[in-house]
């Protein structure tokens, strides 16, 4: 949808590339903190919060008229994507037997990511060709709503995780890492 975004916001293609790469910067910035955050909160609530944040961010992307806000929202979508994917990866590994867990978990997780990419790409192409490009975000909101329903049906209400203090994060390194990622993007 890069050309649609260029025409909608009236910006250069390099600016749009940066906005889309900000999603990957958000993913990379969240990875080092992901496992620590997931151990702090129970899985069901963590996923529900991440999915609700994803819905709000997609709604913001669909409704914003400012390219700067769109770029910031894309960064936050990267953080949310990492929260969801990291949580699911850890959940998959935790329910599989130890001897075959790594092989089955990696095969299932990355196989799902690859196949979903094709499916979502096909649906996205159909939506973008027939509707306004912002409709893509409404379809993503629909998929995230379905994910919330599945999460409510599958996960237990409380898992009582071990509480790890959040004040021991190295926030300065995280900020420097984000700055480094943005400068490379």
């Amino acid at each position: 949808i890069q050309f649609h975004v260029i025409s909608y916001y009236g910006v250069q293609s390099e600016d749009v590339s940066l906005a889309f790469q900000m999603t990957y910067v958000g993913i990379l910035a969240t990875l080092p903190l992901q496992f620590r955050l997931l151990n702090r909160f129970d899985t069901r609530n963590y996923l529900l919060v991440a999915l609700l944040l994803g819905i709000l961010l997609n709604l913001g992307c669909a409704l914003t008229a400012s390219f700067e806000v769109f770029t910031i929202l894309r960064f936050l979508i990267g953080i949310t994507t990492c929260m969801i994917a990291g949580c699911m990866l850890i959940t998959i590994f935790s329910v599989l037997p130890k001897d075959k867990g790594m092989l089955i978990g990696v095969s299932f997780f990355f196989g799902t990511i690859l196949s979903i990419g094709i499916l979502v790409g096909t649906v996205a192409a159909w939506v973008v060709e027939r509707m306004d490009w912002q409709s893509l975000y409404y379809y993503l909101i629909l998929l995230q709503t379905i994910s919330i329903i599945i999460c409510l049906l599958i996960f237990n209400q409380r898992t009582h995780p071990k509480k790890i203090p959040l004040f021991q994060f190295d926030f300065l390194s995280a900020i420097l890492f984000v700055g480094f990622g943005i400068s490379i993007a």
Side-chain angles (χ1 to χ4, degrees), residues 58 62 120 123-124 126-128 130-146:
N58 283 324
V120 169
V123 172
W126 184 87
V127 169
V128 169
R130 289 167 180 75
M131 299 177 196
D132 189 18
W133 70 272
Q134 293 149 320
S135 301
L136 182 64
Y137 287 107
Y138 296 120
Y139 280 95
L140 288 172
I141 290 170
L142 175 68
L143 290 173
Q144 288 172 327
T145 304
I146 293 169

